[in-house]
Amino acid sequence: MKSKKSILTSKFLIQSSLLLFLLMTSFSSKAQENVTDKAGELTFKSETIDYGKIAVNSEGGRTFAFKNTGNAPIVISKVKTSCGCTVADYPKEPVMPGATGEIAVKYDTKRIGNFTKTLTVFSNASKPQLNLRISGEILPAEQ
């Protein structure tokens, strides 16, 4: 049989552990909120571009316009495209809160047919990975 002192010590340890756990989760969530409050946020005018139906070998350049609507500078570390037929250019300097920028995309329009491609933007924004999409149809040259 356990002594009264042993039972009290066990209760104390359980209560202390529970209190410590609650304090740690409270501080952890507060820290998470503070990080989010001080993060940049990429807000795009549109996350998709539809080229529509265009002729083969026509201009394949388009731009995704965005604004940093967050509270901290954003640095875009890279933009990865889903295939070699798409090239992206993005700002290399930090985008300050309230500032705007563009990600330029160029699709190789010598490929006839429908296309849908994804660009993945990697940054230090509140959402560190963001997908943009382009789509359209390349029509063959008229004979």
Side-chain angles (χ1 to χ4, degrees):
M1 208 168 177
K2 288 188 174 181
S3 71
K4 203 173 200 182
K5 185 176 182 181
S6 172
I7 292 171
L8 288 175
T9 303
S10 295
K11 280 185 176 182
F12 175 76
L13 287 174
I14 291 171
Q15 290 173 342
S16 298
S17 298
L18 182 59
L19 180 62
L20 182 60
F21 174 76
L22 291 173
L23 285 172
M24 288 177 65
T25 56
S26 173
F27 286 129
S28 174
S29 66
K30 287 288 185 197
Q32 185 67 26
E33 287 174 17
N34 289 340
V35 168
T36 304
D37 289 346
K38 295 182 181 171
E41 187 171 337
L42 285 173
T43 303
F44 283 84
K45 272 188 170 179
S46 176
E47 294 181 9
T48 60
I49 293 178
D50 182 1
Y51 281 62
K53 294 181 180 192
I54 60 174
V56 66
N57 293 322
S58 60
E59 174 56 42
R62 304 289 189 276
T63 58
F64 287 97
F66 66 85
K67 183 175 184 175
N68 179 353
T69 57
N71 300 319
I74 293 176
V75 176
I76 297 174
S77 55
K78 71 178 174 178
V79 177
K80 183 179 175 184
T81 59
S82 59
C83 90
C85 59
T86 309
V87 179
D89 188 28
Y90 56 92
K92 307 304 188 267
E93 299 297 319
V95 180
M96 303 309 283
T100 59
E102 292 182 340
I103 295 178
V105 60
K106 184 164 180 139
Y107 179 73
D108 183 0
T109 60
K110 69 182 175 196
R111 301 163 186 257
I112 297 171
N114 292 319
F115 67 93
T116 300
K117 303 298 174 190
T118 303
L119 295 86
T120 305
V121 180
F122 296 89
S123 71
N124 65 331
S126 59
K127 188 175 179 183
Q129 278 187 11
L130 178 77
N131 289 330
L132 305 173
R133 286 187 173 61
I134 61 170
S135 63
E137 183 180 359
I138 309 297
L139 302 174
E142 292 184 21
Q143 304 296 324

